[in-house]
Amino acid sequence: MKIGMCMFLWTTSVSKKHEALLKDIKATGFDGVEIPVFASKPDDYKKLGEMLDRIGLERTAVSAMGDPAMNLISPDGATRKAGIDYMKWAIDCSAALGANRLSGPLHSTLGAFSGSGPTAAEKKRSVASQRAIGDHAGKKGVTIGLEALNRFECYLVNTMDDLCEHIDAIDRPHIKAMYDTFHANIEEADPIGAYTRNRRNVVHIHISENDRGVPGRGNIPWKDTFSAIRKSGYDDWLTIESFGRSLKDLAAATKVWRDFAESPEAVYREGYRHIRDGWKKAA
């Protein structure tokens, strides 16, 4: 098992100016960080990867698609192509970074709604888009972890059952699932069962408290969660995801209107101990 920290808490553009923070994350005990991929070029991510190598941090990547002009389930072919091209770029950046995992709500436009649930036509278009993305990801050695989001952030896939049924239909080895404790707490009648039923597709896990704050301070059933993950044989990334208000666009997209902790340090230092100790107790 590896413990990671998503850099969304501070930025969507990690750079040299975050080196001191990254060193402290390493000193805290983290195995790696999750790097947002939203702008720049593959060469820039290659340089960032070299800095992470010097610090001693492994890495995964995360992204999202908030522009309706890149909607992967749009009836307009040019719009879907723009989304596929964006995903190919994000995959190339992730590979240059040295990340073999790119996760997030990378199936449809974040925060865009049709006014009804997903249609059969939208799911069919999604399958075609994801197959094209998965083929490119395979060539680059990157696995996509699609994320089921709560109903207030997307409508295509809200539960792990729906997500994994869709992934089975996509049928590409590099298109898999991510399990997020925050979204599961909202949408799943049985968050633990939602994970165990769909373990076969899970390649990444976000550890996120019910209020997006410090892991361990809220009402997520952590003892049962860690026990289920460990018993399932999962032995990969457990990455803390928390958000702050410093990034206005991200805060708006994730509906963050207040601070969830007294400091970012409380989130990653206390959160690290929470995962480390919870994992040990689940043995």
Side-chain angles (χ1 to χ4, degrees), residues 4 18 21 33 61 185 212:
H18 298 102
L21 169 61
V33 288
N185 183 65
R212 291 289 200 192

Side-chain angles (χ1 to χ4, degrees), residues 12-15 35-48 86 88-94 96:
T12 56
S13 181
V14 181
S15 66
I35 300 296
V37 174
F38 284 93
S40 301
K41 301 175 182 179
D43 283 349
D44 296 317
Y45 287 95
K46 181 180 179 181
K47 293 176 183 177
L48 176 57
Y86 173 86
K88 288 181 177 178
W89 165 84
I91 289 165
D92 291 347
C93 292
S94 300

Side-chain angles (χ1 to χ4, degrees), residues 31-94:
D31 298 289
V33 288
E34 191 153 86
I35 300 296
V37 174
F38 284 93
S40 301
K41 301 175 182 179
D43 283 349
D44 296 317
Y45 287 95
K46 181 180 179 181
K47 293 176 183 177
L48 176 57
E50 291 169 351
M51 182 177 73
L52 294 174
D53 286 339
R54 291 194 297 271
I55 295 171
L57 286 169
E58 297 180 50
R59 77 284 331 214
T60 58
V62 64
S63 191
M65 307 176 74
D67 186 353
M70 299 190 300
N71 193 355
L72 291 166
I73 62 173
S74 170
D76 178 65
T79 299
R80 295 197 304 276
K81 182 180 183 302
I84 292 170
D85 288 345
Y86 173 86
M87 282 301 301
K88 288 181 177 178
W89 165 84
I91 289 165
D92 291 347
C93 292
S94 300

Side-chain angles (χ1 to χ4, degrees), residues 139-259:
K139 294 175 183 176
K140 296 293 183 175
V142 175
T143 297
I144 307 295
L146 296 180
E147 181 178 18
L149 294 190
N150 69 76
R151 74 195 78 173
F152 308 108
E153 295 181 37
C154 91
Y155 72 95
L156 184 67
V157 283
N158 299 130
T159 69
M160 289 298 293
D161 286 347
D162 286 345
L163 172 63
C164 289
E165 180 182 10
H166 193 50
I167 287 171
D168 289 342
I170 294 166
D171 192 26
R172 288 295 186 273
H174 290 270
I175 302 292
K176 293 296 182 181
M178 176 173 73
Y179 178 74
D180 184 296
T181 58
F182 170 83
H183 295 294
N185 183 65
I186 296 172
E187 292 296 337
E188 307 287 359
D190 176 10
I192 307 302
Y195 167 78
T196 56
R197 284 194 305 275
N198 297 288
R199 165 67 184 93
R200 70 189 185 282
N201 279 323
V202 176
V203 296
H204 196 58
I205 293 177
H206 269 175
I207 299 298
S208 189
E209 193 51 87
N210 70 286
D211 66 350
R212 291 289 200 192
V214 180
R217 292 188 184 180
N219 64 25
I220 299 292
W222 290 114
K223 181 179 178 180
D224 291 342
T225 298
F226 287 130
S227 178
I229 294 170
R230 188 150 192 167
K231 286 179 181 178
S232 76
Y234 181 89
D235 192 26
D236 215 312
W237 288 100
L238 299 179
T239 296
I240 296 172
E241 184 183 47
S242 182
F243 296 100
R245 293 189 296 164
S246 59
L247 299 163
K248 293 183 179 180
D249 290 345
L250 184 60
T254 54
K255 311 300 184 289
V256 173
W257 316 124
R258 59 188 173 84
D259 294 325

Side-chain angles (χ1 to χ4, degrees), residues 98-113:
N100 64 4
R101 197 84 30 89
L102 171 62
S103 300
L106 302 170
H107 42 66
S108 55
T109 303
L110 180 64
F113 298 91

